[in-house]
Amino acid sequence: MPESHDAYDLERGSELLRQAAEACGRRLTPEEYWWLGVGLAATTLAEMDGKEFAVRRIQQLLDRLGRAGSDDDWFEQFHNELALLDAEGLLWPLYQRDDHGKMARTDVAVAEGFNAEAGYVLALAHLAIARAVNHDEPEAIAPLAEIVGDLVEGSPATDHLPRVRAALGFDQEEP
């Protein structure tokens, strides 16, 4: 079960996502909010593993995204960071391995309404999947992956937040 400071840190991440457009000085695209959600999940996983250097590198890459958008070099660096964390699954459903084993863009597009709240719930869903994997709870993975897909397709984040928080153990009372 997560400790209370973990929930606090994730709430802080939610606030940062809501402030991202202002920090960038422009309106962010749905895909940029998706990247920020993936980045929040990646930095949280790196922090949990005590990999502070990885946290800083991911944050620097996200700062670059906010200034200039993404390019092939940016993606390769971000993907490498995720690979070092064994967290390439965070790129799904926008990216997956092709027939040659290379990470490639799929034909999935981020829905127009994907925003800061959706990015936050996406991050939580990915973290819940990681928790399920680490706790050997394979039956929990498919429903959480479905939430990730639904969010990307435009399902309202508020519809999924209670289930994702429960999967992380945030809404359970302490014993």
Side-chain angles (χ1 to χ4, degrees), residues 57-78:
R57 287 190 311 246
I58 293 166
Q59 289 172 336
Q60 289 171 345
L61 286 165
L62 292 173
D63 286 344
R64 272 183 47 201
L65 173 71
R67 286 192 307 270
S70 60
D71 58 26
D72 288 340
D73 180 55
W74 182 93
F75 174 77
E76 183 176 337
Q77 290 177 28
F78 195 87

PDB file of all heavy atoms in Angstrom, residues 57-78:
ATOM      1  N   ARG A  57      17.086  13.658 -15.818  1.00  0.00           N
ATOM      2  CA  ARG A  57      17.162  13.554 -17.282  1.00  0.00           C
ATOM      3  C   ARG A  57      15.766  13.576 -17.900  1.00  0.00           C
ATOM      4  O   ARG A  57      15.543  14.237 -18.920  1.00  0.00           O
ATOM      5  CB  ARG A  57      17.912  12.285 -17.684  1.00  0.00           C
ATOM      6  CG  ARG A  57      19.405  12.368 -17.429  1.00  0.00           C
ATOM      7  CD  ARG A  57      20.146  11.192 -18.052  1.00  0.00           C
ATOM      8  NE  ARG A  57      19.551   9.908 -17.729  1.00  0.00           N
ATOM      9  CZ  ARG A  57      20.114   8.966 -16.990  1.00  0.00           C
ATOM     10  NH1 ARG A  57      21.316   9.161 -16.479  1.00  0.00           N
ATOM     11  NH2 ARG A  57      19.514   7.823 -16.764  1.00  0.00           N
ATOM     12  N   ILE A  58      14.829  12.867 -17.303  1.00  0.00           N
ATOM     13  CA  ILE A  58      13.454  12.852 -17.829  1.00  0.00           C
ATOM     14  C   ILE A  58      12.848  14.244 -17.722  1.00  0.00           C
ATOM     15  O   ILE A  58      12.212  14.734 -18.664  1.00  0.00           O
ATOM     16  CB  ILE A  58      12.593  11.799 -17.105  1.00  0.00           C
ATOM     17  CG1 ILE A  58      13.092  10.392 -17.441  1.00  0.00           C
ATOM     18  CG2 ILE A  58      11.122  11.954 -17.469  1.00  0.00           C
ATOM     19  CD1 ILE A  58      12.545   9.302 -16.548  1.00  0.00           C
ATOM     20  N   GLN A  59      13.061  14.914 -16.597  1.00  0.00           N
ATOM     21  CA  GLN A  59      12.537  16.269 -16.437  1.00  0.00           C
ATOM     22  C   GLN A  59      13.132  17.221 -17.464  1.00  0.00           C
ATOM     23  O   GLN A  59      12.428  18.063 -18.016  1.00  0.00           O
ATOM     24  CB  GLN A  59      12.782  16.776 -15.013  1.00  0.00           C
ATOM     25  CG  GLN A  59      11.910  16.066 -14.004  1.00  0.00           C
ATOM     26  CD  GLN A  59      12.261  16.391 -12.558  1.00  0.00           C
ATOM     27  OE1 GLN A  59      13.378  16.789 -12.234  1.00  0.00           O
ATOM     28  NE2 GLN A  59      11.289  16.187 -11.681  1.00  0.00           N
ATOM     29  N   GLN A  60      14.417  17.085 -17.755  1.00  0.00           N
ATOM     30  CA  GLN A  60      15.044  17.927 -18.778  1.00  0.00           C
ATOM     31  C   GLN A  60      14.435  17.662 -20.148  1.00  0.00           C
ATOM     32  O   GLN A  60      14.192  18.600 -20.920  1.00  0.00           O
ATOM     33  CB  GLN A  60      16.555  17.681 -18.822  1.00  0.00           C
ATOM     34  CG  GLN A  60      17.284  18.231 -17.624  1.00  0.00           C
ATOM     35  CD  GLN A  60      18.732  17.792 -17.570  1.00  0.00           C
ATOM     36  OE1 GLN A  60      19.164  16.855 -18.276  1.00  0.00           O
ATOM     37  NE2 GLN A  60      19.514  18.445 -16.723  1.00  0.00           N
ATOM     38  N   LEU A  61      14.174  16.404 -20.446  1.00  0.00           N
ATOM     39  CA  LEU A  61      13.544  16.077 -21.728  1.00  0.00           C
ATOM     40  C   LEU A  61      12.137  16.652 -21.812  1.00  0.00           C
ATOM     41  O   LEU A  61      11.727  17.168 -22.861  1.00  0.00           O
ATOM     42  CB  LEU A  61      13.531  14.560 -21.948  1.00  0.00           C
ATOM     43  CG  LEU A  61      14.882  13.954 -22.313  1.00  0.00           C
ATOM     44  CD1 LEU A  61      14.864  12.445 -22.148  1.00  0.00           C
ATOM     45  CD2 LEU A  61      15.266  14.348 -23.732  1.00  0.00           C
ATOM     46  N   LEU A  62      11.393  16.591 -20.720  1.00  0.00           N
ATOM     47  CA  LEU A  62      10.046  17.160 -20.714  1.00  0.00           C
ATOM     48  C   LEU A  62      10.095  18.673 -20.864  1.00  0.00           C
ATOM     49  O   LEU A  62       9.229  19.264 -21.527  1.00  0.00           O
ATOM     50  CB  LEU A  62       9.296  16.751 -19.453  1.00  0.00           C
ATOM     51  CG  LEU A  62       8.945  15.269 -19.366  1.00  0.00           C
ATOM     52  CD1 LEU A  62       8.348  14.938 -18.007  1.00  0.00           C
ATOM     53  CD2 LEU A  62       8.013  14.850 -20.493  1.00  0.00           C
ATOM     54  N   ASP A  63      11.099  19.308 -20.290  1.00  0.00           N
ATOM     55  CA  ASP A  63      11.271  20.753 -20.480  1.00  0.00           C
ATOM     56  C   ASP A  63      11.533  21.075 -21.950  1.00  0.00           C
ATOM     57  O   ASP A  63      11.001  22.043 -22.483  1.00  0.00           O
ATOM     58  CB  ASP A  63      12.426  21.291 -19.631  1.00  0.00           C
ATOM     59  CG  ASP A  63      12.093  21.370 -18.155  1.00  0.00           C
ATOM     60  OD1 ASP A  63      10.884  21.303 -17.804  1.00  0.00           O
ATOM     61  OD2 ASP A  63      13.033  21.476 -17.344  1.00  0.00           O
ATOM     62  N   ARG A  64      12.350  20.254 -22.597  1.00  0.00           N
ATOM     63  CA  ARG A  64      12.605  20.443 -24.037  1.00  0.00           C
ATOM     64  C   ARG A  64      11.320  20.272 -24.842  1.00  0.00           C
ATOM     65  O   ARG A  64      11.086  21.008 -25.801  1.00  0.00           O
ATOM     66  CB  ARG A  64      13.646  19.446 -24.540  1.00  0.00           C
ATOM     67  CG  ARG A  64      15.051  19.939 -24.403  1.00  0.00           C
ATOM     68  CD  ARG A  64      16.078  18.982 -24.965  1.00  0.00           C
ATOM     69  NE  ARG A  64      15.783  18.442 -26.278  1.00  0.00           N
ATOM     70  CZ  ARG A  64      16.321  17.316 -26.745  1.00  0.00           C
ATOM     71  NH1 ARG A  64      17.168  16.622 -26.013  1.00  0.00           N
ATOM     72  NH2 ARG A  64      16.018  16.885 -27.949  1.00  0.00           N
ATOM     73  N   LEU A  65      10.497  19.316 -24.466  1.00  0.00           N
ATOM     74  CA  LEU A  65       9.223  19.101 -25.159  1.00  0.00           C
ATOM     75  C   LEU A  65       8.378  20.359 -25.076  1.00  0.00           C
ATOM     76  O   LEU A  65       7.790  20.791 -26.054  1.00  0.00           O
ATOM     77  CB  LEU A  65       8.468  17.919 -24.544  1.00  0.00           C
ATOM     78  CG  LEU A  65       7.055  17.677 -25.064  1.00  0.00           C
ATOM     79  CD1 LEU A  65       7.102  17.153 -26.489  1.00  0.00           C
ATOM     80  CD2 LEU A  65       6.311  16.714 -24.164  1.00  0.00           C
ATOM     81  N   GLY A  66       8.320  20.974 -23.907  1.00  0.00           N
ATOM     82  CA  GLY A  66       7.524  22.168 -23.708  1.00  0.00           C
ATOM     83  C   GLY A  66       7.997  23.355 -24.502  1.00  0.00           C
ATOM     84  O   GLY A  66       7.211  24.217 -24.888  1.00  0.00           O
ATOM     85  N   ARG A  67       9.277  23.402 -24.801  1.00  0.00           N
ATOM     86  CA  ARG A  67       9.816  24.534 -25.555  1.00  0.00           C
ATOM     87  C   ARG A  67       9.732  24.348 -27.060  1.00  0.00           C
ATOM     88  O   ARG A  67       9.467  25.282 -27.789  1.00  0.00           O
ATOM     89  CB  ARG A  67      11.269  24.780 -25.163  1.00  0.00           C
ATOM     90  CG  ARG A  67      11.436  25.403 -23.806  1.00  0.00           C
ATOM     91  CD  ARG A  67      12.852  25.887 -23.602  1.00  0.00           C
ATOM     92  NE  ARG A  67      13.861  24.861 -23.844  1.00  0.00           N
ATOM     93  CZ  ARG A  67      14.334  24.028 -22.924  1.00  0.00           C
ATOM     94  NH1 ARG A  67      13.886  24.083 -21.710  1.00  0.00           N
ATOM     95  NH2 ARG A  67      15.252  23.143 -23.231  1.00  0.00           N
ATOM     96  N   ALA A  68       9.978  23.125 -27.523  1.00  0.00           N
ATOM     97  CA  ALA A  68      10.142  22.968 -28.956  1.00  0.00           C
ATOM     98  C   ALA A  68       9.336  21.843 -29.576  1.00  0.00           C
ATOM     99  O   ALA A  68       9.428  21.607 -30.754  1.00  0.00           O
ATOM    100  CB  ALA A  68      11.619  22.735 -29.265  1.00  0.00           C
ATOM    101  N   GLY A  69       8.552  21.145 -28.810  1.00  0.00           N
ATOM    102  CA  GLY A  69       7.861  19.994 -29.369  1.00  0.00           C
ATOM    103  C   GLY A  69       8.828  18.823 -29.467  1.00  0.00           C
ATOM    104  O   GLY A  69       9.984  18.905 -29.069  1.00  0.00           O
ATOM    105  N   SER A  70       8.349  17.718 -29.985  1.00  0.00           N
ATOM    106  CA  SER A  70       9.205  16.533 -30.039  1.00  0.00           C
ATOM    107  C   SER A  70       9.777  16.355 -31.438  1.00  0.00           C
ATOM    108  O   SER A  70       9.218  16.800 -32.427  1.00  0.00           O
ATOM    109  CB  SER A  70       8.416  15.293 -29.623  1.00  0.00           C
ATOM    110  OG  SER A  70       7.337  15.101 -30.478  1.00  0.00           O
ATOM    111  N   ASP A  71      10.922  15.700 -31.507  1.00  0.00           N
ATOM    112  CA  ASP A  71      11.527  15.322 -32.771  1.00  0.00           C
ATOM    113  C   ASP A  71      12.126  13.931 -32.592  1.00  0.00           C
ATOM    114  O   ASP A  71      12.048  13.353 -31.507  1.00  0.00           O
ATOM    115  CB  ASP A  71      12.571  16.350 -33.219  1.00  0.00           C
ATOM    116  CG  ASP A  71      13.690  16.559 -32.191  1.00  0.00           C
ATOM    117  OD1 ASP A  71      13.970  15.629 -31.401  1.00  0.00           O
ATOM    118  OD2 ASP A  71      14.284  17.647 -32.190  1.00  0.00           O
ATOM    119  N   ASP A  72      12.726  13.411 -33.641  1.00  0.00           N
ATOM    120  CA  ASP A  72      13.257  12.045 -33.568  1.00  0.00           C
ATOM    121  C   ASP A  72      14.337  11.903 -32.507  1.00  0.00           C
ATOM    122  O   ASP A  72      14.373  10.914 -31.776  1.00  0.00           O
ATOM    123  CB  ASP A  72      13.799  11.607 -34.931  1.00  0.00           C
ATOM    124  CG  ASP A  72      12.685  11.354 -35.933  1.00  0.00           C
ATOM    125  OD1 ASP A  72      11.539  11.145 -35.493  1.00  0.00           O
ATOM    126  OD2 ASP A  72      12.959  11.373 -37.146  1.00  0.00           O
ATOM    127  N   ASP A  73      15.230  12.886 -32.399  1.00  0.00           N
ATOM    128  CA  ASP A  73      16.284  12.835 -31.399  1.00  0.00           C
ATOM    129  C   ASP A  73      15.692  12.858 -29.993  1.00  0.00           C
ATOM    130  O   ASP A  73      16.123  12.111 -29.122  1.00  0.00           O
ATOM    131  CB  ASP A  73      17.257  14.008 -31.596  1.00  0.00           C
ATOM    132  CG  ASP A  73      18.381  13.991 -30.585  1.00  0.00           C
ATOM    133  OD1 ASP A  73      19.071  12.958 -30.492  1.00  0.00           O
ATOM    134  OD2 ASP A  73      18.549  15.012 -29.880  1.00  0.00           O
ATOM    135  N   TRP A  74      14.708  13.711 -29.788  1.00  0.00           N
ATOM    136  CA  TRP A  74      14.045  13.802 -28.490  1.00  0.00           C
ATOM    137  C   TRP A  74      13.407  12.455 -28.139  1.00  0.00           C
ATOM    138  O   TRP A  74      13.582  11.956 -27.041  1.00  0.00           O
ATOM    139  CB  TRP A  74      12.986  14.907 -28.510  1.00  0.00           C
ATOM    140  CG  TRP A  74      12.315  15.086 -27.195  1.00  0.00           C
ATOM    141  CD1 TRP A  74      12.676  15.949 -26.205  1.00  0.00           C
ATOM    142  CD2 TRP A  74      11.172  14.381 -26.696  1.00  0.00           C
ATOM    143  NE1 TRP A  74      11.841  15.823 -25.122  1.00  0.00           N
ATOM    144  CE2 TRP A  74      10.900  14.865 -25.401  1.00  0.00           C
ATOM    145  CE3 TRP A  74      10.347  13.388 -27.210  1.00  0.00           C
ATOM    146  CZ2 TRP A  74       9.844  14.383 -24.627  1.00  0.00           C
ATOM    147  CZ3 TRP A  74       9.298  12.909 -26.433  1.00  0.00           C
ATOM    148  CH2 TRP A  74       9.059  13.410 -25.158  1.00  0.00           C
ATOM    149  N   PHE A  75      12.673  11.887 -29.083  1.00  0.00           N
ATOM    150  CA  PHE A  75      12.009  10.610 -28.828  1.00  0.00           C
ATOM    151  C   PHE A  75      13.029   9.529 -28.489  1.00  0.00           C
ATOM    152  O   PHE A  75      12.829   8.757 -27.548  1.00  0.00           O
ATOM    153  CB  PHE A  75      11.145  10.165 -30.018  1.00  0.00           C
ATOM    154  CG  PHE A  75      10.573   8.790 -29.805  1.00  0.00           C
ATOM    155  CD1 PHE A  75       9.496   8.607 -28.958  1.00  0.00           C
ATOM    156  CD2 PHE A  75      11.150   7.679 -30.402  1.00  0.00           C
ATOM    157  CE1 PHE A  75       8.987   7.332 -28.719  1.00  0.00           C
ATOM    158  CE2 PHE A  75      10.639   6.406 -30.170  1.00  0.00           C
ATOM    159  CZ  PHE A  75       9.555   6.237 -29.328  1.00  0.00           C
ATOM    160  N   GLU A  76      14.120   9.469 -29.249  1.00  0.00           N
ATOM    161  CA  GLU A  76      15.130   8.437 -28.987  1.00  0.00           C
ATOM    162  C   GLU A  76      15.692   8.581 -27.570  1.00  0.00           C
ATOM    163  O   GLU A  76      15.845   7.590 -26.854  1.00  0.00           O
ATOM    164  CB  GLU A  76      16.254   8.527 -30.014  1.00  0.00           C
ATOM    165  CG  GLU A  76      17.287   7.436 -29.847  1.00  0.00           C
ATOM    166  CD  GLU A  76      18.359   7.467 -30.926  1.00  0.00           C
ATOM    167  OE1 GLU A  76      18.116   8.020 -32.013  1.00  0.00           O
ATOM    168  OE2 GLU A  76      19.438   6.927 -30.650  1.00  0.00           O
ATOM    169  N   GLN A  77      15.968   9.792 -27.151  1.00  0.00           N
ATOM    170  CA  GLN A  77      16.497  10.013 -25.795  1.00  0.00           C
ATOM    171  C   GLN A  77      15.459   9.627 -24.734  1.00  0.00           C
ATOM    172  O   GLN A  77      15.792   8.986 -23.739  1.00  0.00           O
ATOM    173  CB  GLN A  77      16.914  11.467 -25.623  1.00  0.00           C
ATOM    174  CG  GLN A  77      18.143  11.833 -26.419  1.00  0.00           C
ATOM    175  CD  GLN A  77      18.479  13.301 -26.285  1.00  0.00           C
ATOM    176  OE1 GLN A  77      18.169  13.934 -25.287  1.00  0.00           O
ATOM    177  NE2 GLN A  77      19.132  13.846 -27.300  1.00  0.00           N
ATOM    178  N   PHE A  78      14.213  10.028 -24.961  1.00  0.00           N
ATOM    179  CA  PHE A  78      13.159   9.702 -23.993  1.00  0.00           C
ATOM    180  C   PHE A  78      12.959   8.188 -23.926  1.00  0.00           C
ATOM    181  O   PHE A  78      12.869   7.612 -22.846  1.00  0.00           O
ATOM    182  CB  PHE A  78      11.857  10.410 -24.375  1.00  0.00           C
ATOM    183  CG  PHE A  78      10.840  10.420 -23.277  1.00  0.00           C
ATOM    184  CD1 PHE A  78      10.837  11.428 -22.323  1.00  0.00           C
ATOM    185  CD2 PHE A  78       9.875   9.430 -23.192  1.00  0.00           C
ATOM    186  CE1 PHE A  78       9.901  11.446 -21.302  1.00  0.00           C
ATOM    187  CE2 PHE A  78       8.934   9.429 -22.175  1.00  0.00           C
ATOM    188  CZ  PHE A  78       8.950  10.443 -21.223  1.00  0.00           C
TER     189      PHE A  78
END
